[in-house]
Every structure is written in C-alpha cells, then in structure tokens.
Amino acid sequence: MSIIKTEKLTYTYSQGTPFEKTAVNNVDLEIEEGELVGVIGHTGSGKSTLIQHFNGLIKPTSGRVLIDGTDIWSKDVKLRDIRFKVGLVFQYPEYQIFEDTVYKDIAFGPKNMGLDEKEIDRRVRETAELVGISPELLKKSPFELSGGQKRRVAIAGVMAMRPKVLILDEPTAGLDPRGRETILGQIKRYHDETRSTVMLVSHSMEDVARFASRILVMNKGEVLCYDTPPAVFARAEEIASVGLSVPQITKIFGFLRKRGIDIRGDVYTVEFALKTINEYLEAHGRGGLENA
Ligand SMILES: Nc1ncnc2c1ncn2[C@@H]1O[C@H](COP(=O)(O)OP(=O)(O)OP(=O)(O)O)[C@@H](O)[C@H]1O
Ligand SMILES: [Mg+2]
C-alpha cells in the first residue's frame, strides 16, 4: 500500500471569483513508503499547493488524499494525527521560530505529541546532532544563531516528531552553496537513518538528481512524470519543452550521443559521468570521443 495516494486531486484558489486559479489539476499519484522524492517544476507549477494537501493544511476542491490508505478528510480522521504522521517544513521555516531556547524549539513538536520528558530529551539531542547543532547551542536563544543554523533548528523541530513522511518545501532556498550542501546532506542522512518517506521540493535539477530515489515533475498543476532519475532524464526533450532543464552533465551526454557516440544517455551525476567515460575509453579508446 502506498504511503501517499491522491485520486483526481484538484485545488482551485479563490473559486467562483474573477481570481479563480486551478493550481493542482486532477492529479493521480502514488508514493511508496521509504522513497526520497524530489519535487521539481517551474515557479507556479503547483508544487507547494500539492504538498500542503498531504498533511491536511489545505482541503481539496475535489478528489481525495489518502495517507497510509486513509482518506484524511473522512469524518472519523483527526487532522491532528495526520499532522504528526506527515511533517511539513515550510519555505523559510526559521521565520516561525518563537521559543526562547533552541532546545525548546526542537522540543515543541514532540511535546505536543504528548511524549514523556525522557523521550523528548532523547529526540531533541539526537535530532540536533543529526542537523549539526552542537549541545552547547541548545541552551541559546535561536536568535543568536546564524541564518543557516536557524534553518536547521526549524527543520530539526519537525524531524524530532519522527513523522512517517517528512516534506520540505525548498529547504535550501536563499542559502549559499555550502549551506545548501550541508542541509541536503543532513536530509539524506535523516532519510538513510529513519528509512521514512521524504519529499523535497527543489528548484535544482542537479540537487534532485543526486539525492532523490524518485522525481516528481510538476507542470501547470499536473504531474508531467513521476519516476526514477534515469527514467525522468531519459525524457530530456520533454523536460526541456516545459521549460525545465536536465542536469548539465546529462546535456553533455545527450550532445555526445547526437554526435554519434555510442555512450549511455542516463548519466545525471558528475561521479557517474566519470565512471561512464572511463568505461567508454576502455572499450573504445580515445578516437571516437576526440572526433565528436
Ligand atoms: N494563496 C493563493 N491565492 C491565489 N493563488 C495562489 C495562491 N497560492 C498560489 N497561487 C497560485 O497557484 C499556482 C500554483 O502556486 P504554487 O505556489 O503551488 O506553485 P509552486 O510550484 O510552489 O511555485 P514556486 O516554485 O514559485 O514556489 C500559481 O499560479 C500561484 O500564483
Ligand atoms: Mg512553492
């Protein structure tokens, strides 16, 4: 059974007004437990609107959302329970920090779940460690931290609830390359250690290509494709036709193939590119590539 399922999910903002806008249109989607899903799409393609359905933050205009097989809008379901099961980290989550210590901020979610002090303490420390927040920082005010640290504290607050599904809306937005790399690595580690389902909205095809087990491509409120990275990047032209770009390295291999070089087309990370080129050279020597 899939952990997230949507059936003909449609969401229209300001319905019945001149500002009516269908942001998610008739989406059928099934996400299996344990995936690390990268969600990409042009600005305004409906990524944020889609994911806000998964913890019941917004209610479908029509269609259904099932979490773990349960329609979250059926009468006997408590949305509170869904919010513990599906943790959502908004864009710029550091703006929502309000507790006076880092410890309390990370503890807020677990406390709300009614866990005992010992378990809360264990989770706060474990999660802080995971996102690289040292024990000394726990006593500090969140407002004494750097931007990147604040972001990591806010993310830790949701991770500490150990939701079955963790969803992050552009967690690296506005950070420098090093800050982005740090957070992506920590999200990957969280996924590896918890084996839970993680969804990551991103603008970067490169990042998604490196980390995701599946990629969800949104276009104008619809799902263009939902598949493994090689399967998605094999559709490079279609991806380009909706104004998205496959990773640079994938483009280079596409170019080589167009020039008649018999090399794999499913290359989407630099590491894999190196391996592929070495294999090619071993099999064919340098001649073919030099003539391209
Ligand atoms: N509160 C709102 N009221 C009206 N329209 C909205 C609202 N929020 C989003 N929209 C519209 O719905 C569509 C989808 O927006 P959404 O924010 O889900 O896209 P997105 O893919 O997350 O974009 P981005 O990459 O810029 O974050 C857009 O056309 C947007 O203008
Ligand atoms: Mg968005």
Side-chain angles (χ1 to χ4, degrees):
M1 186 176 51
S2 26
I3 183 83
I4 298 176
K5 184 171 185 202
T6 66
E7 292 172 355
K8 307 220 172 319
L9 176 64
T10 296
Y11 188 82
T12 306
Y13 286 105
S14 316
Q15 204 181 24
T17 76
F19 307 105
E20 191 169 292
K21 167 84 200 173
T22 296
V24 172
N25 192 12
N26 218 19
V27 166
D28 287 314
L29 186 65
E30 279 190 59
I31 294 171
E32 296 306 315
E33 193 157 14
E35 300 279 7
L36 203 178
V37 181
V39 184
I40 53 167
H42 233 257
T43 180
S45 59
K47 303 180 295 295
S48 297
T49 308
L50 177 71
I51 59 166
Q52 286 175 49
H53 281 91
F54 299 153
N55 78 341
L57 207 62
I58 53 182
K59 188 174 180 179
T61 306
S62 62
R64 300 206 302 163
V65 177
L66 294 95
I67 299 295
D68 239 352
T70 307
D71 177 347
I72 65 170
W73 291 99
S74 63
K75 268 201 247 48
D76 45 344
V77 174
K78 291 196 190 79
L79 277 182
R80 189 183 144 82
D81 296 336
I82 297 297
R83 303 231 161 104
F84 294 147
K85 219 175 206 180
V86 182
L88 183 60
V89 180
F90 291 96
Q91 241 182 306
Y92 298 100
E94 58 275 24
Y95 293 139
Q96 289 170 29
I97 288 180
F98 61 91
E99 293 284 357
D100 57 6
T101 68
V102 169
Y103 186 99
K104 282 194 213 164
D105 206 84
I106 302 178
F108 182 81
K111 213 167 178 172
N112 249 335
M113 297 173 80
L115 300 174
D116 64 54
E117 285 299 325
K118 214 173 130 201
E119 177 63 13
I120 293 173
D121 189 67
R122 196 177 67 81
R123 291 199 187 186
V124 169
R125 290 178 193 285
E126 216 175 84
T127 317
E129 196 271 327
L130 185 92
V131 299
I133 296 292
S134 61
E136 314 82 78
L137 289 181
L138 292 173
K139 304 188 276 299
K140 290 211 169 180
S141 158
F143 303 99
E144 290 174 59
L145 306 183
S146 73
Q149 285 174 325
K150 265 192 264 184
R151 171 92 43 105
R152 286 185 270 132
V153 166
I155 292 174
V158 180
M159 286 177 169
M161 300 201 296
R162 298 284 180 272
K164 275 191 114 165
V165 183
L166 174 70
I167 306 178
L168 306 109
D169 198 349
E170 305 207 28
T172 61
L175 299 178
D176 61 21
R178 227 178 77 195
R180 286 174 37 187
E181 211 45 41
T182 307
I183 285 194
L184 285 174
Q186 287 159 349
I187 293 169
K188 175 87 173 76
R189 200 176 132 207
Y190 170 88
H191 177 253
D192 288 344
E193 285 179 10
T194 62
R195 304 315 301 168
S196 58
T197 310
V198 175
M199 286 185 94
L200 178 72
V201 177
S202 170
H203 262 115
S204 161
M205 217 23 133
E206 257 80 16
D207 289 350
V208 163
R210 278 189 305 146
F211 289 102
S213 60
R214 299 247 162 195
I215 300 181
L216 171 63
V217 185
M218 293 290 293
N219 180 46
K220 296 188 178 145
E222 294 178 3
V223 171
L224 182 74
C225 53
Y226 175 61
D227 219 324
T228 59
V232 169
F233 296 134
R235 293 161 69 172
E237 279 173 19
E238 205 180 332
I239 303 277
S241 74
V242 300
L244 291 171
S245 184
V246 299
Q248 294 286 350
I249 196 75
T250 310
K251 279 191 205 158
I252 293 171
F253 279 73
F255 168 80
L256 290 173
R257 284 168 63 84
K258 273 206 182 122
R259 300 295 294 249
I261 306 285
D262 181 22
I263 201 163
R264 321 176 50 132
D266 60 347
V267 173
Y268 49 92
T269 65
V270 174
E271 293 74 29
F272 193 60
L274 274 174
K275 187 166 169 274
T276 304
I277 288 176
N278 280 328
E279 279 168 9
Y280 181 91
L281 291 175
E282 264 171 38
H284 301 87
R286 303 184 66 86
L289 278 182
E290 274 167 7
N291 295 333

